[in-house]
Amino acid sequence: MNLVIVESPAKGRTIKNILGANFKGRDSKTNILSSISSTKGDLTIWFNGHGGKDALWLDSGTPDELKDPNVDLKKTTNAITYQEFGDALISKAKKQNMDLSGDVIILDQCFSYDLGYNLHIYLKSNGVVKMPIFIGSSNLNSYGIGSDKQGLFN
C-alpha cells in the first residue's frame, strides 16, 4: 500500500513538499490524517492499496471483511473510513472558505467510485462548497484491476 500526499505546485513552480511518501500500514493512520488536515494550499492525494465502499485499508483487508457487522471501522487502525478521511479534508477546507477545488484525490483500489461517492456526500453534508477532483480506478460496485504489486495507475 502506498499513500503519497503531495502539496500541489502553483503554476510554474516546482513541488514544494512531499508528505508521507513512506506512509505504510496501520501505524501511519494518525500521521496520514493529520498530514491531510494540516496541509495548506492545494493538495494531491494518491492511495494505492486495498479498499472498500466505506474505507481505505492500510494493511490487510478485503471488501468482504467490510460486510462483517462486528467490524467497527471507526475504531480499527487498519482502515481509514470515508468519514475519517472526510473529517481531515473538512479541517483543511475550514482554512480555505470550505473550498477543496484545488485538491485532487486519486484512489487506486476496489470500489473507488463507491468510496468517492460516499466521501462526496459526506463533504457536502458537512459544509464543503467546492469539491476536490476525484479520480478512481474502479466503477460503481466494482473491484479494481491490478495485481498484488501493481494497481491500475502504476
Side-chain angles (χ1 to χ4, degrees):
M1 187 280 303
N2 299 302
L3 178 71
V4 179
I5 301 172
V6 180
E7 286 186 63
S8 300
K11 191 173 183 179
R13 295 186 189 166
T14 58
I15 293 174
K16 296 188 305 182
N17 194 5
I18 296 179
L19 304 171
N22 295 317
F23 285 151
K24 288 189 179 222
R26 64 181 71 213
D27 295 335
S28 298
K29 179 176 179 172
T30 302
N31 291 334
I32 290 166
L33 294 171
S34 65
S35 292
I36 292 169
S37 62
S38 65
T39 300
K40 295 177 182 141
D42 295 344
L43 176 68
T44 300
I45 300 168
W46 172 51
F47 175 79
N48 175 268
H50 295 291
K53 295 178 181 184
D54 297 322
L56 311 169
W57 285 100
L58 299 176
D59 198 351
S60 62
T62 66
D64 289 334
E65 290 176 86
L66 293 171
K67 296 175 187 173
D68 182 348
N70 298 317
V71 174
D72 185 352
L73 291 176
K74 290 183 181 179
K75 292 184 179 175
T76 183
T77 58
N78 193 31
I80 296 175
T81 66
Y82 72 86
Q83 295 98 330
E84 291 170 318
F85 192 16
D87 289 341
L89 288 167
I90 291 163
S91 292
K92 180 181 180 305
K94 286 179 178 176
K95 297 178 264 185
Q96 302 172 174
N97 297 321
M98 300 309 278
D99 180 357
L100 295 174
S101 62
D103 299 343
V104 178
I105 299 170
I106 304 166
L107 298 181
D108 194 359
Q109 68 171 61
C110 293
F111 302 104
S112 59
Y113 180 99
D114 304 86
L115 189 133
Y117 179 79
N118 290 333
L119 179 62
H120 176 89
I121 297 301
Y122 187 77
L123 292 173
K124 187 174 182 176
S125 68
N126 283 280
V128 175
V129 293
K130 293 187 178 179
M131 296 294 155
I133 295 169
F134 181 82
I135 302 167
S137 64
S138 61
N139 207 341
L140 180 65
N141 294 315
S142 297
Y143 293 98
I145 299 171
S147 68
D148 289 341
K149 298 182 192 269
Q150 172 177 336
L152 183 63
F153 298 132
N154 67 345

